[in-house]
Amino acid sequence: MADVALVMTEMGGDLLLDGFDLSRDDGLETAVIISLFTDRRAEPDQIPPELPQDDLRGYWGDVQPSVEGDRTGSLLWLLAREKQLPQTLARAEQYCRDALAWMVDDRVATRIDVTASYLSMGWMLIVVDIYRPQGEPVQYRYNYEWAAQSARRAA
């Protein structure tokens, strides 16, 4: 299965070009980027008091999912104003595991491990290890600047 190739840049996700055409991705990275960095719709009780209570966000394609209950994206956006605490890292890891769980359900992977750590003020490193049914495990690393994501949306 080949998808349009996405990569993460300093400005967010970007499409790759191959000459004058879009590059293709036969691997998992595009699926991982969409899963982690698309805003999943939150439940009203998940919205922290410091965020607008009427903004639940969410991917437009989830309005009528092909499989009931399927949701695209992660809740990483809920961390926009969180402090750099161990609890924040634990929530980030859980949000990433939840966003990537479909890969195990759909048998794309047998196991997924996620580790989050702080690189510096406002920057989180997210490391995703995907264990496929055949072949070597694949690792993806993303620098996630959540404060900038929040500010960019408000502008």
Side-chain angles (χ1 to χ4, degrees):
M1 168 181 89
D3 292 319
V4 174
L6 288 176
V7 293
M8 290 302 291
T9 66
E10 293 175 8
M11 298 302 293
D14 203 359
L15 296 170
L16 280 181
L17 292 177
D18 184 11
F20 293 108
D21 200 3
L22 291 172
S23 294
R24 307 291 282 175
D25 176 18
D26 289 329
L28 300 173
E29 187 164 23
T30 296
V32 171
I33 290 170
I34 291 170
S35 296
L36 293 180
F37 303 113
T38 298
D39 293 347
R40 177 178 286 193
R41 185 169 180 83
E43 297 298 324
D45 63 338
Q46 292 177 303
I47 306 294
E50 63 272 8
L51 293 178
Q53 297 300 298
D54 60 344
D55 183 9
L56 303 178
R57 298 200 188 170
Y59 173 61
W60 63 268
D62 287 341
V63 172
Q64 288 187 316
S66 57
V67 176
E68 186 63 34
D70 264 4
R71 296 289 179 256
T72 301
S74 76
L75 295 173
L76 285 171
W77 66 272
L78 291 175
L79 303 177
R81 297 191 180 182
E82 294 285 332
K83 294 181 180 177
Q84 290 190 208
L85 300 171
Q87 303 91 305
T88 306
L89 289 176
R91 285 179 52 208
E93 290 172 355
Q94 187 59 52
Y95 291 160
C96 292
R97 280 192 294 274
D98 292 346
L100 297 169
W102 70 269
M103 290 184 164
V104 174
D105 295 343
D106 290 356
R107 300 178 192 208
V108 173
T110 57
R111 185 175 105 213
I112 296 175
D113 294 336
V114 177
T115 306
S117 60
Y118 294 117
L119 291 173
S120 62
M121 185 62 80
W123 284 89
M124 182 184 300
L125 172 64
I126 299 171
V127 179
V128 178
D129 292 304
I130 299 176
Y131 297 84
R132 298 179 289 181
Q134 284 93 31
E136 296 293 315
V138 180
Q139 184 177 84
Y140 300 107
R141 302 168 64 88
Y142 302 103
N143 296 336
Y144 183 64
E145 184 184 15
W146 71 90
Q149 301 301 323
S150 175
R152 192 175 301 137
R153 290 183 199 287

